[in-house]
Amino acid sequence: MPQRMPYVGGNWKMNTDLAGATALAEAVAAGAANLLSACQVVVCPPLTYLQAVGKALEGSAILLGAQNFHHQPSGAFTGEVSCSMLKDLGVGVVLCGHSERRHVMGEGDVLINAKVLAALEAGLQIILCIGEKIEQREAGQTDAVNAGQLAYGLAGVKPEQLARVTIAYEPVWAIGTGKTATPIDAQNAHRAIRNEIRHSFGDAAADAIRIQYGGSVKPGNAGELFSQPDIDGGLIGGASLKAGDFLAIVRAAAETGNA
Ligand code: 13P
């Protein structure tokens, strides 16, 4: 059985304010201190609070992540920020392909791939989010949708860059709805995703890559999800906004993950 350190991300989305973001980061850093040898953790605050959260995380091994960025290095892109600007603030991880960016902001596969390649070229780690909509699931297309988003998203990624890639399987119908894939359904999707990586990048890469589950993960369901053999932690939305809940989820990953 390959050793993969569990990995839990907090995606704060468009929530918190400056004081709340700082307090949340401080509480997570304090509470996670003795868990970080068994579970990697990243928090992704709104872009405007990255600097303050980075400061609050100083001295902690918790990674600082950004929810969004532009793939060009600089130029006339009003309202956008580049990878190097994020790196200036201590960002080490970026999310790519989140379902809200795909389905609410209208990002397509070509743009998502450009962002993946730009972030990896910039030396960042990425979390590439994929997942099917409810009608695709009901039509039996879950694995095909995931395989397609994976193939598009990772097109042109060099084998040596894959070590900086994490996949987050987030079924769209489970995000923010309180509905969670059953541990068995999630495991089946994760195994299929890992097999796609095996097909494209080989056994060692497939065995090493972390695949997070996302979609209404809570302290009460995290342990069962994370104990599945191909689920290596989670990407957490709503529950990442409460330090106690997020820390309970990190603890579940540290205790039941595949490390
Ligand atoms: P929820 O945990 O709120 O369902 O959000 C999941 C998610 O989108 C994380 O990126």
Side-chain angles (χ1 to χ4, degrees), residues 134-201:
I134 189 65
E135 58 271 23
Q136 294 168 323
R137 181 174 199 85
E138 285 169 352
Q141 296 167 345
T142 297
D143 291 344
V145 168
N146 286 337
Q149 291 181 354
L150 210 53
Y152 272 114
L154 296 179
V157 171
K158 300 179 189 117
E160 65 270 21
Q161 293 176 320
L162 204 70
R164 285 187 280 117
V165 175
T166 297
I167 306 299
Y169 168 57
E170 302 201 292
V172 177
W173 50 271
I175 295 176
T177 58
K179 295 182 190 149
T180 320
T182 65
I184 297 302
D185 282 350
Q187 162 58 22
N188 287 340
H190 279 234
R191 190 198 303 116
I193 291 165
R194 198 176 302 285
N195 283 339
E196 289 296 323
I197 299 284
R198 197 174 302 285
H199 184 68
S200 306
F201 291 92

Side-chain angles (χ1 to χ4, degrees), residues 9-11 13 95 98-100 129 168 170 174-179 214-218 235-240:
N11 176 7
K13 307 192 179 183
L95 304 185
H98 192 278
S99 86
E100 286 142 25
C129 307
E170 302 201 292
I175 295 176
T177 58
K179 295 182 190 149
S216 298
V217 178
K218 308 277 182 246
L235 188 56
I236 319 301
S240 72

